[in-house]
Amino acid sequence: MNKSYYLAPLQADTDTESVAKSLAQLLGNSPIHQVFKEGLPSPEEWILKSEQSAQQVIDTFSNAGDVLYDGTYSATSASLDITEVHAHAAAHLLAPMILLIDASGMDEEAAINASRIMALTASRHGGTPAGTILINATFTPSVGLEHAPVATVSGSKVDAADLENLRPILQNPPRVAIPPLAYQGMLTERAKAAPRTIVLPESEDDRVLQAAAQILKLSAAKIILLGEEGEVAARAQKLKLDLSGAKVVSLSDESLIERYGQRLSELRSDKGVTPEKARELLKDSAYFGTMMIECGDADGMVSGACHTTANTIRPALQIIKTKPEVSTVSGAFLMLFSDHADLYADCAVSINPDCNQLADIAASSAKTAAQFGIDPKVALISYSTGDSGSGETVTKVAEAVKLVKENHPELAVDGPLQFDAAIDRKVAATKRPDSPVAGQASVFVFNHLDVGNCVYKAVQRTAGAVAVGPILQGLNKPVNDLSRGALVADIVNTIIITAIQAQE
């Protein structure tokens, strides 16, 4: 378990040296890193250039291990809310916050109120307050704080014994909220740990080439581009991209056509695919890329930037096929919020699944969620919670839930649930008080593509969530589809997701 912490002083130029050393000692002599030292973003930059600042800090400290981050800072603009800055920095460092307040001139009420306001502000901006240290305090608090334990010190110098009240929280760190950029960074590190080979069939699209260059720079995957080497090189030069680490494979490579064609005709002979027909199919880059996976030359494929979903999925269904325990391929999205990640399905493939297919989608979605670090609590969504309503889709959802419970008794699953009952604990307490899922769902399974697709896009646009996907679920090997409107960042994320799937 990560035991990094972030020391967040409220006042500028606070002498944090003895506080930081004492905290580090209690944490097992963790190294101390200054967050605002020269070369790293200043507090002002965290407001003016927030995403660039977050990325720089993530890149700098991604392999730091268990660390105490010291957020000491010099005087800043009077209009800058330093607690907001601390919260952003701590969140992207995945570190709970130890709030530090110089209580000089404060009575007990003022100091406690300052701590409460600081904790509330930090929480609203994605931070996770875990404890408070009051230095230069002339009192011992007679009341506790809702958010954290408090350590009070009469002077400005602190030793480990002064922080005994914080020991429980230091030994058992609270779970921190993970912002989207940090979550994506974690996924990148997972992909880098065991790089897989991903084939990209659409080298004619500049976005694909740009994404490939970024992946190679990150060392997140090995890349195969389907196309002609001269054409790819010329386009890369014009775009000023370094694609020297990519392998370019021609669709006209006769040795591969012979090998892939023979295997394809064997696999599809019962469908009338002769070697000649197979060679014809291999002119389609999606078939060619899928055969690379089938023949062990690639571990996964990402396509769809300039082709339809059907064009991407059809070869995969015909050649790679579904896992033995799965009969339904579905499309899920990782929804990255400011403080957590959820999974929504099916939002891309299955239009109107029956109860068996819906149960399949729910089970696949739980596995996908777990694969990407989400504790799966599966809610099957309907316009009714429990037996409060009736209708065809309500019955379908109820039957699907029954099937999931029978076939996967280890899963936390419930439905039908209305969306509010699935996510809101107060609503759940009224509508579904005994549910293991209601009020705390992390996997949302929709009973119709109309619903799933509309909900994920509505949440993406109105709640500011980052939608990563679609992730195709249920195939024996990973093939993932892109929207034809995909941004370069979307393609990068999908390649990383595919590389992680290929590690399983």
Side-chain angles (χ1 to χ4, degrees):
M1 179 182 289
N2 185 290
K3 286 194 176 182
S4 293
Y5 280 83
Y6 183 102
L7 180 61
L10 177 61
Q11 295 96 339
D13 298 311
T14 301
D15 182 2
T16 60
E17 183 178 0
S18 66
V19 180
K21 285 183 177 178
S22 298
L23 282 171
Q25 181 181 339
L26 290 174
L27 290 168
N29 296 314
S30 294
I32 301 170
H33 288 315
Q34 297 283 338
V35 175
F36 300 117
K37 68 180 181 181
E38 186 177 351
L40 289 174
S42 67
E44 287 82 3
E45 287 177 300
W46 275 94
I47 301 299
L48 298 173
K49 301 177 181 178
S50 57
E51 186 164 327
Q52 298 96 315
S53 297
Q55 190 62 63
Q56 187 178 349
V57 164
I58 290 170
D59 292 343
T60 301
F61 295 113
S62 61
N63 296 309
D66 291 344
V67 169
L68 177 67
Y69 297 104
D70 185 348
T72 186
Y73 66 100
S74 298
T76 62
S77 167
S79 62
L80 187 145
D81 185 341
I82 193 62
T83 303
E84 178 182 347
V85 172
H86 285 318
H88 288 320
H92 286 91
L93 292 166
L94 306 181
M97 299 169 67
I98 303 296
L99 312 181
L100 175 62
I101 297 174
D102 185 344
S104 300
M106 296 184 187
D107 60 17
E108 178 184 353
E109 182 180 5
I112 292 299
N113 284 341
S115 180
R116 284 174 171 156
I117 292 169
M118 195 177 181
L120 285 169
T121 302
S123 297
R124 286 171 183 161
H125 291 285
T128 306
T132 297
I133 300 171
L134 301 173
I135 58 172
N136 295 316
T138 58
F139 53 85
T140 300
S142 58
V143 296
L145 291 174
E146 299 86 351
H147 68 274
V150 181
T152 57
V153 184
S154 58
S156 61
K157 301 300 180 183
V158 175
D159 60 38
D162 293 322
L163 305 181
E164 265 316 298
N165 284 358
L166 302 184
R167 188 181 291 276
I169 201 72
L170 297 175
Q171 291 177 340
N172 297 288
R175 185 174 179 177
V176 296
I178 304 177
L181 206 59
Y183 188 88
Q184 290 165 304
M186 292 166 61
L187 294 182
T188 300
E189 290 302 310
R190 282 183 60 185
K192 289 170 64 174
R196 294 295 187 260
T197 300
I198 306 302
V199 58
L200 306 177
E202 299 164 316
S203 64
E204 68 272 25
D205 192 300
D206 287 351
R207 294 168 299 167
V208 172
L209 298 182
Q210 290 166 334
Q214 289 190 32
I215 290 292
L216 292 169
K217 185 177 180 180
L218 292 168
S219 301
K222 300 171 186 177
I223 295 295
I224 295 174
L225 293 166
L226 297 188
E228 299 304 318
E229 192 164 2
E231 294 175 5
V232 171
R235 194 61 193 160
Q237 184 177 15
K238 187 169 184 178
L239 295 170
K240 298 180 180 179
L241 301 175
D242 181 5
L243 291 174
S244 57
K247 181 179 181 180
V248 181
V249 174
S250 172
L251 294 178
S252 302
D253 186 318
E254 186 58 37
S255 63
L256 293 179
I257 292 172
E258 178 65 27
R259 180 168 153 234
Y260 295 163
Q262 182 62 38
R263 177 61 177 154
L264 180 54
S265 64
E266 290 173 3
L267 290 171
R268 303 286 292 165
S269 61
D270 60 333
K271 301 296 182 182
V273 177
T274 63
E276 292 74 21
K277 176 63 174 174
R279 291 175 69 92
E280 190 67 27
L281 287 172
L282 289 171
K283 293 178 181 178
D284 183 327
S285 60
Y287 271 96
F288 197 100
T290 304
M291 285 309 301
M292 294 194 87
I293 300 171
E294 170 62 27
C295 293
D297 295 334
D299 300 308
M301 182 173 79
V302 173
S303 183
C306 46
H307 292 95
T308 66
T309 295
N311 185 255
T312 298
I313 295 178
R314 186 185 302 111
L317 289 174
Q318 293 175 353
I319 298 165
I320 293 174
K321 302 186 184 298
T322 59
K323 295 177 180 178
E325 71 277 12
V326 175
S327 62
T328 305
V329 172
S330 56
F333 281 86
L334 285 171
M335 302 297 291
L336 309 183
F337 297 88
S338 62
D339 59 351
H340 71 286
D342 289 333
L343 187 119
Y344 289 8
D346 183 350
C347 306
V349 179
S350 187
I351 295 175
N352 187 19
D354 61 26
C355 63
N356 292 289
Q357 292 170 320
L358 199 57
D360 235 13
I361 293 168
S364 293
S365 299
K367 289 182 180 179
T368 300
Q371 190 176 25
F372 292 103
I374 299 171
D375 180 22
K377 295 184 183 298
V378 186
L380 278 77
I381 303 300
S382 173
Y383 59 78
S384 169
T385 293
D387 56 4
S388 65
S390 60
E392 182 180 345
T393 57
V394 176
T395 301
K396 176 174 73 171
V397 169
E399 290 175 352
V401 169
K402 183 179 179 182
L403 288 170
V404 176
K405 289 181 176 179
E406 289 174 356
N407 297 325
H408 303 277
E410 75 284 0
L411 290 181
V413 59
D414 197 12
L417 290 173
Q418 291 164 290
F419 198 87
D420 59 348
I423 64 168
D424 190 306
R425 289 181 183 273
K426 290 182 179 178
V427 175
T430 300
K431 292 187 174 183
R432 198 74 163 172
D434 298 322
S435 171
V437 171
Q440 52 186 324
S442 58
V443 177
F444 297 78
V445 179
F446 303 100
N447 61 64
H448 196 286
L449 186 59
D450 270 346
V451 181
N453 193 270
C454 290
V455 169
Y456 107 77
K457 288 188 175 181
V459 170
Q460 178 189 30
R461 298 298 180 182
T462 61
V466 176
V468 179
I471 303 166
L472 293 186
Q473 306 179 132
L475 292 169
N476 270 316
K477 294 182 180 179
V479 172
N480 281 315
D481 180 43
L482 297 166
S483 164
R484 278 171 285 177
L487 303 175
V488 173
D490 299 327
I491 301 173
V492 169
N493 286 336
T494 304
I495 294 171
I496 289 171
I497 289 290
T498 307
I500 292 171
Q501 287 181 300
Q503 291 173 348
E504 295 297 312

